[in-house]
Amino acid sequence: MINATSQKRIFLSSPHMSGNEYKYINEAFETNWVAPLGPNVDLFEKEIAAYVGANEAVAVSSGTAAIHLALSLLSVQKGDKVFCSSLTFIASANPILYQQAEPVFIDSEPETWNMSPQALEKAFMDATKKGKLPKAVIVVNLYGQSAKMDELLSICNNYNVPMIEDAAESLGSSYKGKPSGSFGEFGIFSFNGNKIITTSGGGMLVSNDIEALQKARFLATQARDPAPHYQHSTVGFNYRMSNILAGIGRAQLEVLAERVGTRRLIFERYKNKLGELPGFQFMPELDGTFSNRWLTALTIDEEMAGISVPELLNAMALENIEARPVWKPLHLQPLFKGAQYFTHSNEDVSANLFDSGICLPSGSNMSLDDQMRVIDCIKNCIRC
Ligand SMILES: *Cc1c(COP(=O)(O)O)cnc(C)c1O
């Protein structure tokens, strides 16, 4: 028996450098474009905009900052409501609170695990009845899978409310051939260390509205008025990305397609080896969509499998394997106690996904041996 703690740690999703990052970092040093901003930032913005098919992009310090800017640009303020996917990371909704607005959470539907058009329609009908529509709808593409954009956009357009697409987890994915992040009034990406590509920390705001992005640049650099002295008439933020980090991002973007390919292979291997186990059901990929499979996610029916998600997480932790439950829905978070929530049907889909869902190590730098260790660990658990 191998001592559990002597085994190398397998991470959920760790940074994966290509080697070319040095080239862009060195250029920045050689030209002393260490700060502020600089050519890597300009080019990284152009490259992301071209990749996504958006008119422009603004590089910022995090995905959270990008969402906050989008809400500011849509004049979300105290007393306003913002609809938001419930099954997501906290960062999707925290900026709603920064603006002192009120989040209303929308359930998932089972085919994509993302925002349910049915639940969204219910929320809009309720808002209409109360005479106060939301200022924006934040739609998340979970673990790389695009939400049902046609249906969701059609509802948003009917009520004339703009969509913000939180594509933090879905760079490299597409919906009906169109890149993820290009659907809303604003799209946002994250380059946090665990995402499919990373700048060590960073984010991007994309849009076809060039004027709005001009204002985003202004707000992200302390909202300085065009005056010969330091003059400010609106509150701003310090949200821009550094030229060094943008250099890392440029090299990472060059290998994005490879990273997506690897993550999809990892998903397929898990599914091949574990998909037949009783009660195991892998996250679907909706017809007409292409997921970057950022994280391999699945649900486990405790009765059929004879093991619960917490038990499995525990067994993996003992073997130094980092796995995670699916995001805890925001309507169940103490922070958002009392917030309005609209379910898909009689069933609370996001709560059920949370109860039975698990994310497996999915990093593109994980070796085949590493993945086999994860697979064997799970199989051994099922047998015991
Ligand atoms: C990572 C993430 C964010 C936030 O990105 P940061 O760069 O970490 O601020 C927002 N939304 C979702 C769904 C995420 O997964």
Side-chain angles (χ1 to χ4, degrees):
M1 185 74 191
I2 306 165
N3 177 351
T5 52
S6 73
Q7 285 185 291
K8 193 186 98 196
R9 183 149 178 83
I10 299 175
F11 293 100
L12 185 74
S13 177
S14 70
H16 185 183
M17 295 295 108
S18 71
N20 273 339
E21 291 81 7
Y22 286 119
K23 188 178 91 187
Y24 297 109
I25 294 173
N26 281 340
E27 272 175 26
F29 272 80
E30 276 159 16
T31 55
N32 203 33
W33 272 117
V34 169
L37 298 166
N40 278 333
V41 173
D42 297 341
L43 289 164
F44 189 36
E45 287 177 346
K46 286 200 169 64
E47 288 157 5
I48 287 279
Y51 183 87
V52 176
N55 282 346
E56 256 185 58
V58 177
V60 292
S61 51
S62 69
T64 313
I67 297 171
H68 191 196
L69 285 171
L71 293 177
S72 304
L73 293 168
L74 295 171
S75 310
V76 171
Q77 56 199 345
K78 193 172 180 162
D80 285 338
K81 284 186 180 186
V82 176
F83 291 178
C84 182
S85 302
S86 186
L87 189 60
T88 181
F89 179 51
I90 191 75
S92 301
N94 264 339
I96 302 172
L97 297 187
Y98 302 166
Q99 293 301 94
Q100 298 180 285
E102 189 190 318
V104 173
F105 294 111
I106 314 292
D107 197 5
S108 300
E109 47 77 24
E111 288 183 317
T112 65
W113 296 18
N114 288 309
M115 188 181 280
S116 154
Q118 233 166 286
L120 179 65
E121 183 64 52
K122 273 199 263 179
F124 266 118
M125 285 186 336
D126 180 75
T128 306
K129 213 163 46 190
K130 290 179 178 148
K132 193 173 169 71
L133 288 177
K135 276 273 181 76
V137 179
I138 301 173
V139 176
V140 178
N141 301 314
L142 210 64
Y143 304 132
Q145 169 63 56
S146 289
K148 293 186 170 175
M149 282 303 164
D150 282 350
E151 290 89 335
L152 296 172
L153 272 172
S154 137
I155 297 170
C156 289
N157 291 340
N158 274 347
Y159 289 92
N160 207 14
V161 173
M163 178 194 288
I164 298 168
E165 191 184 2
D166 180 349
E169 301 177 1
S170 62
L171 182 62
S173 304
S174 62
Y175 175 91
K176 298 191 177 173
K178 201 169 172 272
S180 203
S182 66
F183 288 86
E185 190 77 22
F186 298 101
I188 78 97
F189 296 106
S190 166
F191 309 112
N192 189 35
N194 63 354
K195 296 300 188 328
I196 194 152
I197 62 168
T198 183
T199 58
S200 83
M204 195 74 78
L205 178 67
V206 302
S207 179
N208 287 330
D209 186 342
I210 292 174
E211 224 172 283
L213 291 189
Q214 208 60 35
K215 191 170 175 208
R217 289 196 174 84
F218 164 78
L219 290 174
T221 49
Q222 309 285 19
R224 185 177 167 188
D225 293 339
H229 44 268
Y230 286 97
Q231 182 174 294
H232 306 267
S233 14
T234 38
V235 61
F237 316 105
N238 183 5
Y239 273 172
R240 284 292 252 158
M241 183 185 277
S242 92
N243 197 49
I244 306 279
L245 301 192
I248 300 176
R250 292 185 67 200
Q252 288 270 291
L253 187 58
E254 289 169 358
V255 295
L256 173 61
E258 253 172 79
R259 298 294 184 257
V260 172
T262 305
R263 296 221 184 211
R264 286 182 65 88
L265 269 179
I266 288 169
F267 179 93
E268 284 309 318
R269 198 175 290 127
Y270 278 129
K271 198 176 169 190
N272 285 338
K273 305 276 185 196
L274 302 170
E276 306 288 297
L277 292 175
F280 277 53
Q281 198 149 31
F282 281 77
M283 185 176 181
E285 187 175 40
L286 184 73
D287 275 353
T289 68
F290 177 85
S291 171
N292 67 13
R293 294 293 192 195
W294 172 54
L295 292 184
T296 291
L298 65 148
T299 55
I300 298 173
D301 182 312
E302 189 177 335
E303 299 225 321
M304 285 171 77
I307 191 166
S308 69
V309 166
E311 284 167 337
L312 195 56
L313 287 171
N314 202 36
M316 289 203 265
L318 287 173
E319 296 203 17
N320 218 8
I321 296 168
E322 185 186 29
R324 291 281 169 85
V326 161
W327 299 126
K328 179 173 180 174
L330 300 187
H331 74 280
L332 299 176
Q333 297 287 352
L335 176 65
F336 294 118
K337 200 163 175 261
Q340 250 194 318
Y341 175 58
F342 291 88
T343 56
H344 175 63
S345 57
N346 293 334
E347 187 196 349
D348 185 341
V349 175
S350 70
N352 290 343
L353 287 169
F354 170 60
D355 281 339
S356 60
I358 185 170
C359 297
L360 300 179
S362 309
S364 49
N365 51 1
M366 188 170 64
S367 69
L368 180 58
D369 282 352
D370 289 342
Q371 196 181 357
M372 290 314 295
R373 239 180 78 200
V374 179
I375 290 165
D376 289 341
C377 173
I378 294 170
K379 282 185 165 168
N380 287 336
C381 278
I382 300 303
R383 276 190 213 103
C384 63

